Amino acid sequence: MATDHARPKARRESLLTERFALFAECLLTGVWIAVASLPLVTYPAAFAAGARHLRRRTAHEGGGWREFTADFGAAARRGWIVGLAGWAAAGAVRVDVQAVRAGLPGGPLVGAVGVFALIGAAVAGLRAAATWTPGASWRALLAAAGRRTVLDPAGSFLLVGGAALVLCSAWFVAPLAVPVLGAVAAAAVAVEERHRRR
């Protein structure tokens, strides 16, 4: 009888251990994403490689730094264009915000639209990176992710919250933002898995 009670307890401990190991893997993946994003235009490829690494870990498949770097190289072949477009969009929104500050007519509306569009594009980018596989077209991934961003507002708001967490972490303790990037990648993977199962 005592052994029956001991079994569920052992399962709970192993589940707790497994979840803690996944959390630690997320933090390590955040460091990898940050390092791979240093060229600035490679952040989509870095998130794609990080998300693929976390998908492998949750599926109990092998994989480590070598697989991450191989995925990063494959994703960066066309992903750097997506990164460049993201920086261009951020620059355009900055001009909009400056128009708001200058008091130009219609500036607040244009600024608000620009900020919301940038947030939507960032969420779509995260969702696209979460589903990336070697050989996938970034254009097709982004188009499908854009639709999911609109059709799955709950998942999109979750990713906005994750991005806000990274920004707050960077604001208060800059080094803390680095490992949290892995948690954002994990959130994107979870959001996409949730949407796929619906």
Side-chain angles (χ1 to χ4, degrees):
M1 205 70 171
T3 55
D4 290 342
H5 292 298
R7 281 181 189 164
K9 188 174 182 183
R11 282 184 186 164
R12 269 186 247 140
E13 288 172 358
S14 67
L15 182 63
L16 178 65
T17 303
E18 184 179 328
R19 288 184 178 170
F20 185 76
L22 181 60
F23 174 69
E25 197 70 36
C26 288
L27 299 182
L28 176 62
T29 303
V31 174
W32 292 353
I33 290 170
V35 170
S37 297
L38 286 177
L40 298 182
V41 294
T42 57
Y43 64 90
F47 269 100
R52 188 149 194 266
H53 172 72
L54 292 173
R55 287 197 316 264
R56 276 194 300 266
R57 297 302 285 182
T58 56
H60 302 289
E61 297 172 5
W65 174 250
R66 285 184 192 167
E67 289 78 10
F68 174 86
T69 54
D71 286 339
F72 173 70
R77 283 190 195 103
R78 297 270 184 218
W80 70 269
I81 298 169
V82 177
L84 192 62
W87 284 114
V93 169
R94 183 174 178 180
V95 170
D96 287 348
V97 170
Q98 287 174 342
V100 171
R101 289 183 178 167
L104 294 175
L109 177 63
V110 171
V113 168
V115 168
F116 282 117
L118 183 63
I119 291 170
V123 169
L126 280 171
R127 295 185 86 136
T131 58
W132 177 87
T133 54
S137 161
W138 277 102
R139 184 181 301 221
L141 288 173
L142 287 166
R147 287 190 293 275
R148 291 192 305 274
T149 298
V150 174
L151 297 175
D152 180 23
S156 298
F157 283 124
L158 177 65
L159 292 179
V160 170
L165 179 65
V166 170
L167 292 174
C168 289
S169 300
W171 181 264
F172 291 116
V173 184
L176 187 59
V178 171
V180 172
L181 290 172
V184 173
V189 169
V191 163
E192 287 302 306
E193 183 63 22
R194 172 186 161 272
H195 182 76
R196 188 183 66 79
R197 292 183 178 184
R198 282 173 52 189

